[in-house]
């Protein structure tokens, strides 16, 4: 159950059309298969490494200060609702994305978007921390495994679909992906906020 929940949260997190997904889409539309695979490996590696660092870091904090669990649930839940709302209303834009750059620049860009972006680190830490605070300890690694597994599944599926349907895909299709994923995150965020408020009663 928690593995599937991790898969679903991972899907809602990775699927929205952001910078990395746009790069994958455009790469898959115009580049050969070998270049597409290499790009996927690079992006997936940095995404998964950031997720792992955020997950284990917040876990240590939660064990040291139990009150942090309450704070993470409420503020993390609010952040997820905010992220979901923004994703829902975001209109994809596939213009001005350069795919003809050297591999070393793809690596640098992937590092900058993940490890070099404080907002990305904060979002990943708060979101994973919120779910970690709300899932039984014995099941948390099932959840996180599902979350990590979704990274290569989504990136690979997206690239394969774009490559096979290069002449048929429309930007309106991607807008519906944003709406679905935004709705999922809003629902999860509301649930986490409610759980946090219920926990608040125990501290009062």
């Amino acid at each position: 159950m928690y593995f599937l929940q991790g898969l679903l949260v991972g899907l809602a997190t990775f699927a929205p059309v952001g910078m990395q997904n746009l790069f994958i889409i455009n790469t898959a539309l115009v580049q050969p298969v070998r270049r597409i695979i290499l790009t996927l490996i690079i992006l997936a590696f940095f995404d998964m490494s950031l997720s792992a660092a955020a997950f284990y870091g917040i876990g240590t904090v939660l064990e040291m200060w139990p009150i942090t669990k309450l704070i993470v649930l409420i503020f993390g839940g609010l952040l997820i609702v905010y992220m979901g709302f923004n994703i829902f209303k975001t209109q994809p834009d596939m213009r001005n994305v350069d795919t003809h750059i050297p591999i070393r620049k793809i690596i640098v860009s992937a590092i900058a978007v993940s490890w070099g972006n404080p907002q990305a680190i904060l979002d990943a830490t708060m979101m994973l921390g919120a779910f970690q605070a709300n899932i039984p300890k014995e099941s948390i690694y099932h959840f996180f495994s599902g979350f990590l597994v979704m990274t290569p599944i989504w990136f690979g599926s997206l690239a394969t679909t774009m490559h096979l349907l290069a002449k048929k895909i429309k930007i309106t299709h991607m807008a519906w992906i944003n709406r679905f994923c935004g709705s999922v995150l809003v629902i999860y965020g509301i649930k986490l906020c409610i759980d946090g408020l219920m926990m608040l009663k125990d501290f009062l």
Side-chain angles (χ1 to χ4, degrees):
M1 174 182 177
Y2 287 105
F3 181 82
L4 294 178
Q5 183 178 350
L7 284 174
L8 181 59
V9 173
L11 175 62
T13 302
F14 301 129
V17 184
M19 185 184 303
Q20 290 181 327
N21 279 345
L22 282 178
F23 191 84
I24 290 175
I25 291 171
N26 284 268
T27 299
L29 291 176
V30 301
Q31 298 292 341
V33 174
R34 180 178 297 182
R35 176 63 176 267
I36 295 171
I37 294 175
L38 184 57
T39 301
L40 292 178
I41 292 174
I42 293 172
L43 292 178
F45 171 78
F46 287 109
D47 266 5
M48 294 172 72
S49 64
L50 174 60
S51 296
F55 177 81
Y56 287 107
I58 196 63
T60 302
V61 173
L62 290 175
E63 290 182 3
M64 292 177 61
W65 295 292
I67 189 66
T68 307
K69 181 177 181 179
L70 171 63
I71 297 174
V72 168
L73 272 176
I74 295 178
F75 288 96
L78 291 174
L79 176 62
I80 292 172
V81 171
Y82 175 76
M83 291 170 58
F85 178 74
N86 283 337
I87 289 169
F88 183 89
K89 67 178 183 178
T90 296
Q91 294 298 322
D93 184 357
M94 293 175 59
R95 298 169 297 177
N96 302 322
V97 179
D98 182 16
T99 58
H100 300 282
I101 59 177
I103 296 300
R104 67 176 181 275
K105 288 189 177 181
I106 297 179
I107 297 176
V108 172
S109 297
I111 295 174
V113 169
S114 55
W115 289 98
N117 185 349
Q119 189 60 50
I121 296 174
L122 175 62
D123 290 348
T125 300
M126 291 297 290
M127 183 175 66
L128 288 175
F131 284 108
Q132 184 172 355
N134 194 48
I135 294 176
K137 189 173 182 180
E138 64 274 11
S139 302
I140 188 62
Y141 292 105
H142 295 97
F143 169 85
F144 187 58
S145 296
F147 184 87
L148 284 184
V149 167
M150 181 50 68
T151 303
I153 290 177
W154 169 252
F155 284 171
S157 299
L158 177 62
T160 300
T161 301
M162 295 301 113
H163 188 68
L164 295 177
L165 303 177
K167 296 181 180 180
K168 299 180 180 180
I169 195 70
K170 297 179 180 180
I171 195 66
T172 53
H173 298 159
M174 305 310 298
W176 281 107
I177 292 177
N178 278 5
R179 292 168 188 168
F180 169 77
C181 295
S183 298
V184 171
L185 287 180
V186 167
I187 293 172
Y188 269 119
I190 292 174
K191 179 181 182 299
L192 292 173
C193 289
I194 293 175
D195 291 339
L197 292 175
M198 295 298 293
M199 183 182 298
L200 180 61
K201 295 180 180 179
D202 299 332
F203 286 89
L204 298 178

